[in-house]
Amino acid sequence: MLDTGEPTAADEAREAAVEAALGRLGLDAKTRLLAGQDTWSLPALPEIGLQSLVMSDGPIGVRGVRWTAEDPSVALPSPTALAATWDPGLAHRAGVLLAQEARRKGVHVLLAPTVNLHRSPLGGRHFEAYSEDPLLTGRIGTGYVRGVQSGGVGTTVKHFVANDAETERFTVDNRVPERALRELYLAPFEEIVAGARPWGVMTAYNTVNGTTMTEHRDLVGEVLRGAWGFDGINVSDWSAARNTAAALRGGLDIAMPGPRTVYGDALAAAVRDGRVDEADVDAAVRRVLRLAARVGILQGAAPAVAEPPAPVDGEALAREIARRSFVLVRNERGALPLKPGTVALIGAAARDARILGGGSATVFPPRTVSPLDGLTAALPEGTLDHAVGADPATELAAAGRDFTLRTVCRDASGAVIGTRSAPSGHIQWMGSDLPEGVRHDNLHTVELTGTFMPRESGPHTFGVKGRGAFTLVIDGTTYYDGVQRPDGSDPFAALFNAPVPRAQAELIAGEPVTVSLTHTVEVPEDRPLRSITFALAHAAPQRDPDELIAEAVEAARNAGTAVVVVATTDRVESEGFDRADLRLPGRQDDLVRAVAAANPNTVVVVNAGSPVELPWRDEVAAVLLTWFPGQEGGAALADVLTGTHEPGGRLPTTWGSLADAPVTQVVPVGGELPYSEGVFIGYRAWEKAGRTPSYPFGHGLGYTDWAYESLDTDGTTVRVRVRNTGGRPGREVVQLYLSPAEADPERPARWLAGFATAEAGPGESAEVIVELPRRAFEIWDDKGKAWVCVKGSYEITAGRSIADRRLAAPINV
């Protein structure tokens, strides 16, 4: 049973077990428990029957403690995709699946969900967050957390708080007005704490209003734990904790990763010399033991979930979420679903699917269905033709397909001490995640070695991603033997920085060659996280882009429908950096325009996790946004394009041009990033500025039509009746927006107050009932330091988006 209500007898029994365990621990054991013993876990304490607590990245798939394709993970669509479903119930089911994956991998706590807001469209990690709107973010996050924890696995809602961009993320001081902090950035966390009772939060790298978040006593102690009643653990983002005493006083329970942290021995010493109070240590340990009891690893304490939910089919759920998330933003002349006839599928991204964003959310799925795979399986034989057209990649990519690779680990004498497969050409070993028999103290070199089978003749480029000494050998020739030093202060630069070209070799299609990249390991002793991260990168011979576009145009001209798949890359959307613009990389815009000129029935599929500019959007017949669609994305795309299922998504964030976007600043000045726009971000800011985006918040088309027939409200409950006026069954997301009758320059013109989903067959009607939260009528009073209900007249509207409002009714408060 999910722990979401008042304390039960089982809760009280767990608390008693926690207190008993705490009472048997000495100071050194207690402080050791608050420090990671390695990258992903806390130490076991056998003297109290406590097993090691294991954490893992997990927004869209559970990585586990080993990042390897030998232990694959179901890869769901990106969090922006999940938010685009506008369905907390579906988010709950996603959480149930991820809990199932976590249990399979021996993981007790997922480092998810990310509920930071899309403050600026330039945020590089927005694909891993949900929305620009705090209510939608909070509702989807609540469903996700409840789902995960119903499976007996903990969550850490992150990144608390205002970690809304990546530039200088370790040091930036985000200057956020208190009203904006309360009404926007804290709001999703508050909603999830109230609605799901999460077992953890993760405090961010950044500073807020002068205090780093791992030491922010006001926001963690007074707000999160005090006003909201949060009783879970507070874990640092990895390497975010900086000061022993300040972190403990600020409410940080767990400092990760280990074995070198500001807690452990350093915390015990701080207690003994009087810099911190042992009672504060006890409070933190109590919370950690409570989490251990909830997940079932503390002897004598019954877990919060005695029986996990029924097993979930991961492939089927990934496919369902994907098609429910796809947002059809344009569909002229009924271009979709596809008509019978021939189809030209165009784009490198149609063949090489990008299913997830870059950074810590990355996992290895058991399979990946590309758009080409999905449509080949769905369409009659002989009706589909593929042309590359334009490649979005503007730099080398990690070696994967066409490479057969493994790693060979050697000690200083050259003796082999361990091996592991490396199908992706990417090594990311953190902490104790090393091949069997390998330790950091006996590892001298790691050789990534194997064969490459070229598919094209010509000059192939090879490169290196990583930091340190490397030797690159292609077909017996040494092309590089030197040291790479990535720019930037980010300790994860070796993971996020671009590969560096180091070799160009003339190869012949079909003739395999040997490849070898040897890395001499040198991990500084003072680095808190011992990791080995590097990759062999590759790019095939580059054909003339104009020739590729010409081939695509010819294919389009000879087909009944042209489907162009455009995409971003992991150099555009990733953890670790923000975007400089919103353009599609490479010549993809040129490709779309050329294809659309050749075939008026052109459908564009946009494979991006967050907004990109679509300058040709009015020149094509249809535009379908598919986010990062997860491992089953190609199958889901075939479902939607052929009309087996309708696209169910609605925009969780506004799409528009960078030139028109009202809030864009993500680069700090003098170490500070002012949130000078206050409460006006997203659609709130677009309306205030009087600008029209490409596609408004909440927008999305299906394959049927809807009439809004009635709206009734008593001021608290809203009932909306809609009718399916089209010719096929469908699903409609009914959106409610609240606006004050008299304009107030200090408040948005309107804001999302609730939403619900209606389903109906052709000609049928359906009613949705939405309860308006009291908070919808409140603002934060900076002077009084409290929420205040703003009385007066309001208008409640029901419609299909922020811009397409169909019905209205007055409300007096």
Side-chain angles (χ1 to χ4, degrees):
M1 182 176 178
L2 183 60
D3 179 16
T4 58
E6 294 299 317
T8 64
D11 293 330
E12 293 172 356
R14 273 191 297 276
E15 288 299 300
V18 165
E19 291 300 325
L22 176 61
R24 303 205 308 271
L25 292 177
L27 176 62
D28 291 317
K30 288 187 286 191
T31 59
R32 194 165 68 249
L33 182 59
L34 304 183
Q37 68 174 349
D38 53 27
T39 309
W40 302 115
S41 69
L42 299 182
L45 296 179
E47 63 267 34
I48 58 170
L50 176 66
Q51 301 173 41
S52 175
L53 183 120
V54 179
M55 298 171 251
S56 170
D57 282 317
I60 57 95
V62 183
R63 176 185 295 179
V65 298
R66 296 189 179 276
W67 197 64
T68 170
E70 294 172 349
D71 184 18
S73 309
V74 172
L76 298 177
S78 63
T80 44
L82 192 58
T85 69
W86 290 60
D87 189 342
L90 195 55
H92 185 282
R93 291 170 57 201
V96 171
L97 170 64
L98 293 174
Q100 174 180 299
E101 286 279 280
R103 293 193 306 273
R104 180 175 67 81
K105 288 178 175 258
V107 168
H108 306 113
V109 177
L110 282 187
L111 303 173
T114 300
V115 299
N116 301 115
L117 298 184
H118 298 173
R119 172 180 168 269
S120 162
L122 293 175
R125 201 177 180 181
H126 282 346
F127 63 88
E128 196 179 317
Y130 293 128
S131 169
E132 68 189 27
D133 183 78
L135 178 68
L136 178 59
T137 296
R139 295 285 170 84
I140 298 297
T142 295
Y144 180 101
V145 169
R146 289 174 65 92
V148 173
Q149 293 183 176
S150 75
V153 174
T155 57
T156 61
V157 189
K158 65 182 188 182
H159 307 84
F160 191 77
V161 62
N163 182 187
D164 310 300
E166 294 293 281
T167 304
E168 299 180 21
R169 62 179 177 156
F170 289 91
T171 58
V172 62
D173 183 4
N174 292 324
R175 311 298 296 192
V176 191
E178 187 169 4
R179 182 175 168 192
L181 191 61
R182 293 283 187 156
E183 294 185 18
L184 295 179
Y185 304 102
L186 286 170
F189 292 93
E190 183 179 11
E191 174 99 11
I192 294 168
V193 168
R197 292 188 67 193
W199 298 345
V201 300
M202 179 190 290
T203 38
Y205 291 120
N206 55 277
T207 291
V208 173
N209 298 334
T211 304
T212 187
M213 280 309 307
T214 51
E215 302 169 11
H216 216 304
R217 186 179 184 88
D218 287 346
L219 291 179
V220 172
E222 301 301 321
V223 177
L224 177 64
R225 290 194 172 122
W228 301 351
F230 172 70
D231 69 352
I233 58 100
N234 170 14
V235 60
S236 72
D237 205 340
W238 265 226
S239 302
R242 298 165 172 86
N243 181 285
T244 300
L248 189 71
R249 285 195 296 266
L252 182 70
D253 298 323
I254 302 171
M256 293 295 290
R260 297 176 62 90
T261 81
V262 299
Y263 282 175
D265 292 343
L267 181 56
V271 173
R272 291 188 172 106
D273 65 20
R275 286 181 290 126
V276 299
D277 192 327
E278 188 168 358
D280 290 336
V281 174
D282 288 347
V285 172
R286 183 176 292 111
R287 288 186 285 265
V288 174
L289 291 175
R290 180 181 297 136
L291 173 62
R294 283 169 166 166
V295 301
I297 60 170
L298 178 63
Q299 186 176 329
V305 177
E307 189 71 31
V312 177
D313 183 331
E315 288 186 2
L317 182 58
R319 186 169 179 169
E320 180 184 354
I321 293 173
R323 65 188 180 227
R324 288 277 307 279
S325 75
F326 293 170
V327 182
L328 183 61
V329 293
R330 178 178 173 85
N331 193 22
E332 299 297 302
R333 304 181 301 278
L336 290 179
L338 295 172
K339 307 296 189 297
T342 57
V343 174
L345 181 62
I346 296 166
R351 179 194 62 198
D352 305 322
R354 187 172 187 211
I355 65 167
L356 42 76
S360 59
T362 304
V363 296
F364 294 107
R367 72 172 196 161
T368 297
V369 183
S370 70
L372 181 58
D373 296 332
L375 283 172
T376 298
L379 297 178
E381 186 174 354
T383 62
L384 181 67
D385 185 24
H386 175 254
V388 171
D391 194 335
T394 55
E395 60 187 36
L396 307 183
R401 189 185 54 191
D402 305 325
F403 287 81
T404 303
L405 300 169
R406 66 189 182 104
T407 55
V408 178
C409 300
R410 302 178 188 272
D411 63 17
S413 72
V416 175
I417 55 175
T419 63
R420 182 183 285 182
S421 68
S424 71
H426 192 172
I427 305 302
Q428 187 176 314
W429 300 339
M430 293 182 155
S432 59
D433 179 14
L434 296 169
E436 186 175 353
V438 178
R439 305 185 311 274
H440 284 288
D441 61 3
N442 69 355
L443 180 60
H444 180 64
T445 63
V446 179
E447 181 185 12
L448 186 58
T449 182
T451 60
F452 168 59
M453 178 69 76
R455 284 188 290 169
E456 300 149 293
S457 297
H460 287 252
T461 304
F462 297 83
V464 180
K465 180 177 183 177
R467 180 195 303 270
F470 295 93
T471 302
L472 176 60
V473 180
I474 309 295
D475 204 23
T477 300
T478 299
Y479 284 87
Y480 178 72
D481 188 359
V483 178
Q484 281 192 177
R485 299 295 181 197
D487 296 331
S489 60
D490 191 326
F492 302 111
L495 176 61
F496 300 132
N497 282 21
V500 180
R502 295 297 184 185
Q504 193 170 80
E506 286 285 341
L507 305 179
I508 299 173
E511 295 188 8
V513 295
T514 58
V515 295
S516 172
L517 177 63
T518 302
H519 173 49
T520 301
V521 177
E522 184 179 337
V523 181
E525 287 296 326
D526 61 351
R527 184 172 296 175
L529 176 60
R530 297 178 68 85
S531 64
I532 299 168
T533 301
F534 70 95
L536 172 66
H538 168 261
Q542 298 299 298
R543 290 185 56 197
D544 181 87
D546 290 328
E547 289 184 9
L548 291 172
I549 291 175
E551 289 178 1
V553 166
E554 186 62 21
R557 186 176 290 119
N558 295 326
T561 303
V563 176
V564 185
V565 182
V566 296
T568 59
T569 69
D570 60 8
R571 297 305 305 162
V572 175
E573 295 184 84
S574 174
E575 178 181 354
F577 52 84
D578 292 312
R579 296 195 278 177
D581 57 58
L582 301 181
R583 294 190 296 270
L584 288 167
R587 296 280 303 278
Q588 294 182 100
D589 287 334
D590 295 338
L591 171 67
V592 173
R593 284 195 167 108
V595 169
N599 188 329
N601 200 29
T602 293
V603 174
V604 182
V605 175
V606 183
N607 182 192
S610 49
V612 291
E613 292 177 343
L614 310 175
W616 33 258
R617 63 187 181 278
D618 295 330
E619 303 169 29
V620 300
V623 179
L624 181 70
L625 312 181
T626 62
W627 315 105
F628 296 144
Q631 67 178 58
E632 304 299 316
L637 180 63
D639 289 340
V640 167
L641 293 183
T642 60
T644 304
H645 294 270
E646 71 170 354
R650 304 294 186 266
L651 286 181
T653 200
T654 306
W655 280 52
S657 70
L658 182 60
D660 289 335
V663 181
T664 59
Q665 186 180 358
V666 293
V667 178
V669 177
E672 295 185 354
L673 183 62
Y675 283 42
S676 54
E677 69 284 347
V679 297
F680 294 94
I681 67 168
Y683 62 82
R684 296 166 166 84
W686 283 87
E687 287 208 329
K688 182 180 182 182
R691 301 173 188 172
T692 302
S694 304
Y695 301 111
F697 177 81
H699 175 62
L701 308 172
Y703 288 157
T704 189
D705 297 313
W706 295 87
Y708 280 61
E709 296 185 328
S710 65
L711 184 160
D712 298 297
T713 180
D714 60 5
T716 301
T717 302
V718 180
R719 297 174 180 269
V720 180
R721 180 163 292 276
V722 295
R723 182 177 299 277
N724 181 347
T725 60
R728 58 177 287 164
R731 178 184 286 108
E732 174 74 339
V733 177
V734 178
Q735 303 164 40
L736 300 180
Y737 295 92
L738 193 65
S739 58
E742 294 186 11
D744 180 348
E746 299 301 316
R747 302 176 79 187
R750 58 186 49 82
W751 52 90
L752 183 69
F755 57 92
T757 299
E759 295 185 56
E764 295 177 350
S765 63
E767 183 180 73
V768 300
I769 302 174
V770 179
E771 298 296 324
L772 296 178
R774 178 175 176 80
R775 183 61 55 80
F777 301 94
E778 295 179 334
I779 65 170
W780 179 259
D781 178 12
D782 285 345
K783 292 182 180 179
K785 303 296 182 184
W787 290 99
V788 175
C789 180
V790 181
K791 297 183 179 181
S793 298
Y794 291 83
E795 181 182 69
I796 187 76
T797 57
R800 312 200 72 206
S801 76
I802 187 75
D804 185 1
R805 304 182 299 276
R806 302 291 182 90
L807 298 172
I811 294 178
N812 292 309
V813 178

